[in-house]
Amino acid sequence: MGDRVIHLTDVIRYLDRRERRVHRISARALAKMLERRLETSRNRIMRADISVPIILVVDRETRRPTVILDGNHRLAKAVKLGMNVRFRVLYSDEYDMMFGT
């Protein structure tokens, strides 16, 4: 995006300023909603800390998740373990504004 650099901490601060709370969902249900195979390194999956919330990009109009901005390995681990996953929402229009897509 030219000279502009956005770090994960910038996204987290943005979510904090908007007081976006942490939600929970079945990892399997979320993976199914995303309708894509989780292709990640087994080693990285096993090291993932699933207590850290995922950042999930959600279409504001349809309320459907579109992509995981941060946390693919955490989701994959939670799916393998049959657990719930914690997540915070970044709406797709906000994503577009931040990343210029």
Side-chain angles (χ1 to χ4, degrees), residues 35-83:
E35 297 177 346
R36 66 181 189 84
R37 187 164 178 239
L38 295 171
E39 298 199 24
T40 56
S41 156
R42 177 171 169 71
N43 189 33
R44 289 186 68 187
I45 290 170
M46 298 318 293
R47 290 183 312 190
D49 180 358
I50 59 176
S51 70
V52 177
I54 289 169
I55 298 177
L56 184 63
V57 179
V58 173
D59 183 284
R60 193 182 294 271
E61 290 181 22
T62 65
R63 302 286 188 199
R64 300 276 309 162
T66 59
V67 69
I68 294 175
L69 180 63
D70 178 60
N72 282 299
H73 295 95
R74 283 173 263 156
L75 177 60
K77 183 174 184 176
V79 167
K80 282 186 179 288
L81 298 174
M83 298 180 71

Side-chain angles (χ1 to χ4, degrees):
M1 207 176 127
D3 295 336
R4 187 171 174 200
V5 176
I6 297 186
H7 299 275
L8 183 57
T9 55
D10 298 323
V11 176
I12 292 169
R13 271 185 255 146
Y14 178 87
L15 295 173
D16 288 344
R17 284 193 309 268
R18 279 149 188 79
E19 299 179 355
R20 298 281 167 79
R21 67 185 189 96
V22 176
H23 304 272
R24 288 185 187 272
I25 189 172
S26 156
R28 289 184 179 139
L30 177 56
K32 187 175 180 179
M33 280 187 250
L34 291 168
E35 297 177 346
R36 66 181 189 84
R37 187 164 178 239
L38 295 171
E39 298 199 24
T40 56
S41 156
R42 177 171 169 71
N43 189 33
R44 289 186 68 187
I45 290 170
M46 298 318 293
R47 290 183 312 190
D49 180 358
I50 59 176
S51 70
V52 177
I54 289 169
I55 298 177
L56 184 63
V57 179
V58 173
D59 183 284
R60 193 182 294 271
E61 290 181 22
T62 65
R63 302 286 188 199
R64 300 276 309 162
T66 59
V67 69
I68 294 175
L69 180 63
D70 178 60
N72 282 299
H73 295 95
R74 283 173 263 156
L75 177 60
K77 183 174 184 176
V79 167
K80 282 186 179 288
L81 298 174
M83 298 180 71
N84 287 341
V85 68
R86 300 172 60 212
F87 69 95
R88 294 177 81 183
V89 171
L90 178 69
Y91 290 106
S92 55
D93 58 313
E94 296 167 326
Y95 175 89
D96 292 346
M97 176 204 56
M98 290 179 128
F99 294 97
T101 57

